[in-house]
Amino acid sequence: MKSSNYSSPAPDLGPVHLNFFSYYGRMLFAMEFLTLLIGYLLVFSFFTVVCICGDHPSCINGPIGWVKRSLTKAFFCLIPKQIVDLGTRFVYYVYQQRNPTMQIVFGILVLSGHAIVVIDIFPILYGIFHDDNHVLVPMLLLFLNLFVFYKLCGADPGEITKDNHGVYSFIYPYDGAIYQKKTICKTCNFSKPARSKHCSVCNRCVHRFDHHCVWTNNCIGALNNHYFLAFLITLIMMCVNGFYMALRSIVSIAQYSGMVDALIMQANGKMTPVTLSALVQHLFMQFPRIIFLMASLSVLSLLMAGFTVYHLYLMFTNQTSNERYKIGSIKNSERCCRKENTEATQSKKPNKRKTLNTRPYNQGFLKNIAQVLFPKNYIEKHKKVSHR
Ligand SMILES: [Zn+2]
Ligand SMILES: [Zn+2]
């Protein structure tokens, strides 16, 4: 066994091979623990992707859309009506009305994760690597992320009012496909500027509307898109750093306590080296919160990375989620029409179809980025142009 300077309140591992046998020797799952854990993570990731992407036009007619529809049907058949009604009302309240529920949930999740870091991970890391500073990076990332979150929640996304309607009307031209001239917003009672959308949750039109974010209780539009990207990037950095710290503490404790060199007594009395599955299972029973945090952060990091890459791609190509959604919807409905009446659809509005396959607002890589990162400069520039 390796010598160790580990001095934190670690569990008494005792004679490791005896611990393994007495605790878990008779409780081994039929399926290996590691397989179960990986299976759980895959199933959890799959259902999360289905829930998030199932209604998107690019997925709705594919296998992901089909799985979501089937699951929804099964859910409504199996769950009692009263519970479904209650759940529907709750979902409507959370997703269709402005309220701070998900902001509070986000705060609880972030603080719970950091509570595990402070209570469980710091003592292990300081016990083994006592000369290193383990606090600086996670606390810096936490404050950075919460600061950006605060700015994002309170920032004006680019609300269009009667006073600034004139300015926003000249920023972008109408593309004739997604944005048509003289489309009136009946609620705000003015013609919608190109690239704007009326948010039904916030009840306002927003310039260069991307989407309504329930986590921030705010729309994501031209004026706060840069905060949104900064929020996603700092969130990923926080998740990846949390995962690294959890992994480092678990691997270190397994190495320094001698668990990796432990022997397990089989039913026939033979001693065999510990398997990875048995080791993970043992660590899970000893440090359930750290393993849970590590597993959650691994899934979350991957999902967040995919979401962030998508939003970076939108920034690089000067598109919004709302536009991708609308293009998907138009293409889906065209596909349905084509099945019904091929010739009539083929001859219909070829320019519109051409616009759908191009990126009408693309101005080149650097200009696209500048437009998102410095939205007020872009608006000021166009204000001057429109006043000439
Ligand atoms: Zn409106
Ligand atoms: Zn909104």
Side-chain angles (χ1 to χ4, degrees):
M1 194 181 286
K2 289 177 183 174
S3 64
S4 164
N5 56 0
Y6 176 75
S7 59
S8 75
D12 177 17
L13 298 167
V16 176
H17 62 277
L18 287 180
N19 263 356
F20 267 113
F21 186 71
S22 56
Y23 275 86
Y24 311 119
R26 296 174 195 174
M27 292 161 56
L28 281 174
F29 299 131
M31 196 187 289
E32 285 209 322
F33 179 78
L34 194 59
T35 317
L36 275 173
L37 185 67
I38 293 169
Y40 164 75
L41 291 177
L42 288 175
V43 170
F44 178 74
S45 311
F46 175 74
F47 282 109
T48 308
V49 170
V50 166
C51 286
I52 294 170
C53 305
D55 289 330
H56 196 273
S58 57
C59 301
I60 203 161
N61 291 325
I64 294 178
W66 179 84
V67 171
K68 181 158 188 188
R69 282 193 299 280
S70 308
L71 285 176
T72 310
K73 263 187 210 164
F75 177 79
F76 283 115
C77 289
L78 293 172
I79 308 293
K81 196 178 173 304
Q82 290 92 331
I83 297 177
V84 171
D85 288 346
L86 203 69
T88 310
R89 274 208 294 273
F90 178 72
V91 169
Y92 180 81
Y93 170 73
V94 172
Y95 288 95
Q96 299 299 325
Q97 292 179 350
R98 272 196 104 175
N99 65 84
T101 310
M102 297 310 278
Q103 286 171 300
I104 296 167
V105 170
F106 175 76
I108 292 171
L109 287 176
V110 169
L111 293 179
S112 308
H114 281 82
I116 297 175
V117 171
V118 171
I119 295 166
D120 295 335
I121 295 178
F122 279 164
I124 294 175
L125 290 178
Y126 272 110
I128 299 173
F129 311 103
H130 36 66
D131 290 336
D132 296 352
N133 188 341
H134 303 286
V135 178
L136 183 68
V137 175
M139 290 303 131
L140 201 68
L141 289 175
L142 173 67
F143 285 117
L144 202 60
N145 180 257
L146 290 183
F147 173 73
V148 178
F149 182 67
Y150 167 76
K151 294 289 282 181
L152 176 58
C153 292
D156 169 23
E159 181 176 352
I160 304 174
T161 60
K162 291 235 160 86
D163 294 336
N164 63 25
H165 178 264
V167 173
Y168 286 127
S169 297
F170 290 103
I171 307 288
Y172 296 110
Y174 291 93
D175 67 348
I178 305 172
Y179 303 108
Q180 310 280 355
K181 264 183 193 170
K182 294 175 186 168
T183 309
I184 305 290
C185 174
K186 286 174 187 154
T187 313
C188 303
N189 203 20
F190 49 60
S191 66
K192 287 184 186 173
R195 306 196 83 182
S196 69
K197 186 184 182 302
H198 185 87
C199 175
S200 58
V201 182
C202 304
N203 200 27
R204 61 185 173 185
C205 273
V206 172
H207 172 57
R208 202 183 188 275
F209 179 87
D210 192 275
H211 67 285
H212 178 84
C213 175
V214 288
W215 293 98
T216 58
N217 193 23
N218 199 1
C219 298
I220 307 302
L223 300 192
N224 64 354
N225 209 333
H226 54 308
Y227 285 132
F228 182 65
L229 285 171
F231 171 67
L232 291 180
I233 290 166
T234 51
L235 190 61
I236 287 188
M237 287 164 73
M238 207 163 70
C239 290
V240 170
N241 184 59
F243 174 77
Y244 166 72
M245 288 178 73
L247 182 69
R248 192 179 179 208
S249 65
I250 285 292
V251 169
S252 304
I253 207 165
Q255 281 176 341
Y256 280 79
S257 65
M259 278 187 222
V260 282
D261 303 317
L263 298 172
I264 297 183
M265 191 187 289
Q266 301 296 336
N268 57 9
K270 204 177 154 193
M271 303 297 282
T272 57
V274 64
T275 61
L276 180 64
S277 179
L279 185 62
V280 172
Q281 183 178 345
H282 182 71
L283 287 166
F284 181 73
M285 302 304 274
Q286 295 276 8
F287 308 101
R289 290 193 295 254
I290 301 181
I291 298 284
F292 175 75
L293 182 73
M294 205 166 76
S296 307
L297 288 180
S298 64
V299 173
L300 201 63
S301 300
L302 287 175
L303 292 174
M304 290 305 303
F307 192 61
T308 307
V309 166
Y310 175 66
H311 276 276
L312 287 173
Y313 160 76
L314 292 179
M315 174 174 72
F316 296 151
T317 53
N318 209 331
Q319 300 182 87
T320 63
S321 304
N322 175 49
E323 286 159 9
R324 294 300 312 163
Y325 188 88
K326 281 190 172 175
I327 288 172
S329 301
I330 295 170
K331 282 185 176 174
N332 270 350
S333 62
E334 276 196 347
R335 223 171 283 140
C336 295
C337 290
R338 212 173 294 145
K339 275 182 194 166
E340 288 166 17
N341 189 353
T342 311
E343 282 184 14
T345 317
Q346 290 292 324
S347 58
K348 224 173 172 181
K349 296 187 178 173
N351 285 342
K352 181 178 170 181
R353 211 172 309 120
K354 197 180 158 195
T355 309
L356 287 176
N357 293 323
T358 56
R359 290 166 192 147
Y361 300 107
N362 186 10
Q363 296 180 7
F365 187 70
L366 291 177
K367 282 186 178 173
N368 292 344
I369 294 175
Q371 219 175 97
V372 172
L373 299 187
F374 310 104
K376 285 187 177 164
N377 288 3
Y378 189 76
I379 290 168
E380 281 300 316
K381 214 167 87 185
H382 279 75
K383 227 194 235 176
K384 284 173 199 160
V385 171
S386 65
H387 280 93
R388 265 176 212 164

